[in-house]
Amino acid sequence: MTAPDPANAAPEAAVDTAPENPTETRVRAALDGLEVSFGAAQDAIVCVEFERELLHTVMERLRDSAGFETLTFVTCVDHLASTATEPRFEVVHQLISLAHGDRVRTRVRLTSDDATLASITDLWPGAGFMEREAYDMFGVRFEGHPNLKRLLMPEGYGHHPLRKDFPQQGIEPDRLYREWDRERRKDWNPKES
Amino acid sequence: MGSLTEARTSSDEGFLATRLDALINWGRKNSLWPMPLGLSCCGIELMAMIGPRFDISRFGAEAARFSPRQCDLMIVAGTLTWKMAKAARTIYDQMPEPKWVLAMGVCSSSGGMYDSYSVVQGIDSILPVDIYVPGCPPRPDAVIDAILKLQKKIERESPIKNLLAGTEVVEHEGTGVIRRQPNHAVERTELDRHPHSPAARETAVHFGAASPESLRGDDQ
């Protein structure tokens, strides 16, 4: 760690008084020099927050320097209901180190008008499906993903169901079926067309 | 065919036609080959029903075929999503005549507890359902009871009489009505109270309705 300048003295001191956490020490050493902050999590997992441009660098360092070799999940949270302010989306990555037996979580906030984030499929190919699910359900676009298609909803549906402003009964859930059904009736009942 | 027509016209009831109908119906109802479309947990009960403990072979329906070309009875066992609906409809279209549809469980009957953006609220909007079995999932004996009731329904059909009269009685399409489950947070509509009433069908969203551009979303 670099020496704290006087402007940052107070928050640094607050963190330093906390009990020593070996995971946090390792993560701090790996992310040295990057603008990251350490947030609190209810389940006491070390939680790193930063701007979205840093995501790929942070993940690469956590994998290669801090020893978090396994990606647990990539998911997204829509904070529309709780805050009603931008940035609205929070993309969460969680890593696990099997060698050290600990976990780390990263959070990136995104605004709804530009919900794009770097893909980490080049670091962990297994992130592909999870990023596709986050894209399908929340509309977060992962740049660099080799195949960013919808995972659960049918292709062409156009809406993102886990957004908080999406109605429970859906926006025209039957539209794609109806369009297909019109063509089917032409094929099977030529009289109707 | 000519002699059949004469037989039909020679008496009021059409003795030969009704006897032939009875023979054909007897054959059809006792050799229902199910198409097991097991979509969720109902599929497990369906397997139990086919297995030796409940044993639908006692009623001539044990020959479950996984090709729709060899099936008479489509058992939709489970939650049908809109994404799966195209496949279900295609399977139904591929089945040869005559064919019947059994909606097994509340999910396929009405959407069940999935008052959701992804689930078809009753498969009768896309398929002509002959018999509904409530339950979540229904016990195998409930489905066997439904098959026995379906056999009674088949007994009442008149394939030869309809053939001679040239009447088209086979229903191929569903209602085409997009149902919604009643949402008690908002005012209930006529459609919610009586979903099968003619008035409700008129006011309901129909397959033929055009889709506004504003609702198409951001794909493409």
Side-chain angles (χ1 to χ4, degrees), chain B residues 172-190:
Chain B
H172 284 115
E173 302 294 341
T175 62
V177 174
I178 312 298
R179 281 220 301 272
R180 279 177 50 252
Q181 293 207 3
N183 184 349
H184 297 291
V186 298
E187 190 184 351
R188 298 181 68 184
T189 63
E190 185 66 17

Side-chain angles (χ1 to χ4, degrees), chain B residues 18 94 155:
Chain B
T18 49
Q94 288 173 344
E155 273 177 9

Side-chain angles (χ1 to χ4, degrees), chain B residues 2-220:
Chain B
S3 61
L4 284 178
T5 316
E6 283 166 24
R8 179 175 161 269
T9 51
S10 64
S11 74
D12 290 343
E13 291 297 315
F15 174 78
L16 188 53
T18 49
R19 288 300 88 200
L20 268 175
D21 279 345
L23 179 68
I24 288 171
N25 289 340
W26 172 81
R28 284 179 174 178
K29 74 168 189 164
N30 289 310
S31 64
L32 282 172
W33 286 17
M35 165 77 222
L37 190 62
L39 298 171
S40 56
C41 39
C42 280
I44 306 296
E45 298 296 304
L46 187 64
M47 291 175 220
M49 186 178 82
I50 296 169
R53 187 178 182 91
F54 294 94
D55 196 13
I56 48 170
S57 65
R58 292 178 292 157
F59 312 105
E62 83 280 15
R65 298 293 155 165
F66 291 89
S67 162
R69 308 282 185 200
Q70 302 172 347
C71 294
D72 305 301
L73 171 64
M74 184 174 180
I75 300 181
V76 183
T79 319
L80 187 71
T81 59
W82 282 111
K83 196 176 179 181
M84 186 70 189
K86 297 174 190 173
R89 180 67 219 194
T90 306
I91 288 170
Y92 178 78
D93 284 337
Q94 288 173 344
M95 284 165 60
E97 300 279 352
K99 50 192 170 183
W100 299 273
V101 178
L102 189 152
M104 178 179 175
V106 288
C107 290
S108 53
S109 298
S110 72
M113 64 176 177
Y114 297 106
D115 182 16
S116 158
Y117 57 88
S118 59
V119 176
V120 181
Q121 302 296 311
I123 62 166
D124 49 4
S125 61
I126 66 162
L127 293 170
V129 178
D130 289 283
I131 192 155
Y132 302 83
V133 189
C136 185
R139 280 186 57 84
D141 21 16
V143 188
I144 288 174
D145 182 53
I147 286 179
L148 292 178
K149 286 196 166 66
L150 181 63
Q151 289 184 345
K152 292 216 165 54
K153 182 176 180 177
I154 293 170
E155 273 177 9
R156 294 197 299 272
E157 291 180 357
S158 318
I160 294 296
K161 279 173 86 172
N162 289 332
L163 182 71
L164 295 178
T167 49
E168 181 87 19
V169 292
V170 186
E171 181 74 45
H172 284 115
E173 302 294 341
T175 62
V177 174
I178 312 298
R179 281 220 301 272
R180 279 177 50 252
Q181 293 207 3
N183 184 349
H184 297 291
V186 298
E187 190 184 351
R188 298 181 68 184
T189 63
E190 185 66 17
L191 178 63
D192 296 332
R193 288 194 206 92
H194 307 291
H196 289 288
S197 69
R201 290 195 180 192
E202 280 176 19
T203 58
V205 182
H206 196 270
F207 275 0
S211 174
E213 279 297 315
S214 58
L215 294 181
R216 294 187 73 88
D218 59 3
D219 280 16
Q220 294 110 28

Side-chain angles (χ1 to χ4, degrees), chain A residues 11-31:
Chain A
E12 283 288 334
V15 171
D16 286 343
T17 53
E20 187 72 13
N21 184 338
T23 308
E24 187 171 333
T25 313
R26 221 166 72 248
V27 172
R28 278 182 187 276
L31 301 184

Side-chain angles (χ1 to χ4, degrees), chain A residues 8 37 79 84 117 169 181:
Chain A
N8 285 350
S37 62
H79 285 287
L117 189 64
Q169 292 183 329
D181 191 64

Side-chain angles (χ1 to χ4, degrees), chain A residues 6-192:
Chain A
N8 285 350
E12 283 288 334
V15 171
D16 286 343
T17 53
E20 187 72 13
N21 184 338
T23 308
E24 187 171 333
T25 313
R26 221 166 72 248
V27 172
R28 278 182 187 276
L31 301 184
D32 191 16
L34 296 178
E35 281 187 34
V36 300
S37 62
F38 285 76
Q42 279 189 340
D43 47 3
I45 290 180
V46 173
C47 195
V48 192
E49 295 171 4
F50 44 85
E51 293 298 312
R52 63 172 176 183
E53 290 77 19
L54 289 178
L55 178 88
H56 200 272
T57 320
V58 167
M59 300 311 265
E60 198 165 11
R61 287 207 200 173
L62 286 177
R63 186 186 70 166
D64 298 336
S65 308
F68 291 98
E69 70 281 89
T70 307
L71 176 73
T72 311
F73 62 76
V74 182
T75 188
C76 184
V77 185
D78 186 356
H79 285 287
L80 180 72
S82 60
T83 64
T85 53
E86 299 286 354
R88 171 179 162 183
F89 297 113
E90 182 182 81
V91 180
V92 184
H93 293 69
Q94 185 160 314
L95 310 179
I96 187 168
S97 166
L98 299 175
H100 298 85
D102 54 4
R103 300 164 198 266
V104 66
R105 185 178 297 154
T106 68
R107 291 174 178 161
V108 182
R109 295 298 284 248
L110 298 174
T111 55
S112 57
D113 54 343
D114 186 22
T116 56
L117 189 64
S119 170
I120 56 162
T121 44
D122 51 338
L123 301 174
W124 287 279
F129 270 141
M130 294 182 268
E131 289 179 351
R132 276 178 67 181
E133 188 185 5
Y135 162 67
D136 189 2
M137 291 289 138
F138 293 94
V140 175
R141 296 188 168 273
F142 291 88
E143 288 171 344
H145 192 289
N147 185 27
L148 192 64
K149 292 191 300 186
R150 285 179 178 272
L151 182 65
L152 301 170
M153 296 302 288
E155 267 190 75
Y157 180 59
H159 306 281
H160 303 287
L162 285 192
R163 288 187 172 185
K164 291 293 182 196
D165 49 2
F166 184 84
Q168 177 205 351
Q169 292 183 329
I171 300 170
E172 290 198 309
D174 53 291
R175 174 171 59 82
L176 292 168
Y177 180 83
R178 275 192 280 126
E179 290 172 3
W180 175 85
D181 191 64
R182 227 167 281 140
E183 296 303 309
R184 177 190 67 82
R185 284 175 195 239
K186 281 179 199 165
D187 289 347
W188 285 82
N189 310 315
K191 279 181 287 184
E192 283 194 15

